[in-house]
Amino acid sequence: MQLNAITRKSAFMAIILLVMMLVAVALRYCFTPFAMELADSAFRERIVSLVVAMMIFFGVGIIEGKVLVRSGLSSNFCALPMPLYGVLACGVFLSPQTLTTAAASLCFALAMLLLLRSLHRAGEKDSVLFFSMLLGITVLLYPPCIVLAAVIPIAVLTLALSVRQTILMIIGYLTPLLGASYVMWYRGDSILEFGRNLINALMSPRMDAVEEIPYVAIVIVALVTVVLVWGGIFAAVRPDKMFHLARVRRSLYLFLWVSLVSMTMLLLPSCDLSVCAIVAVPISILLSFVLSILPNNHSTIAYWIILALFVLHLFVE
């Protein structure tokens, strides 16, 4: 048995590992938060909110497993997105706004799951509508998610959606934002007040200066980057037979562009540690795909080094 088979092939073991990760991160956050987490906010999340947030993170991990299966990026069943999402969303840093962050990550993951229905059903309308509505809700939860609006034209181009589906996505995305504007106008504010508040939230720095970033966090990010780049090179040199399927290529391009778009949140002044849980949604899918196409010895080594660094990061800042 391959060393990574317990979480590559077994959903049960992947779920157990994800639960263990979330419990370990929650305990670490309660007793020894990192300096960057303390600098991110002067207030700490209440225990009840933290528990609910971890339950939401667990749900997102399960959804990530379904997203990989529905995308077709794995020729066989693969449960790797569950623990990998746990590492990337919570294992590097945990935002003090844990509940809001978890809710935004959940909306983003559900949106991607709904969007992938259009791969199998031509002319799908309900899914793309609710996909865009969930993207709009992420902006209400975490303003830097406004950059995810670029996912709509990306989806139109990569998935070859129709004009009707495009119009539905635009309407769905604007519905939560216009609804929030109406609520603020109804209670007596200006109709433009929501827009002004959104711009202020985007332009206002959220994180205080921190002298240094934890070394283990840097190593985790560097390793994930190296694995993704190596996977891209390996796929270009030795393309898999699955690349001949149009829907597989579309899914790969979709998640590649969505990952790049989500990382542009780092350029916004208001970006804080919440970005980890948002970026983890597409990156964990790409990382799982790369580990599934690499030779077993390469993927096994990379996978267990990532898990070992996660454990080390619990004790070393």
Side-chain angles (χ1 to χ4, degrees), residues 177 181 184 190-202:
L177 306 182
S181 297
M184 297 190 69
S190 169
I191 191 67
L192 301 177
E193 187 66 22
F194 172 75
R196 287 195 288 262
N197 291 343
L198 179 60
I199 293 174
N200 291 335
L202 290 172

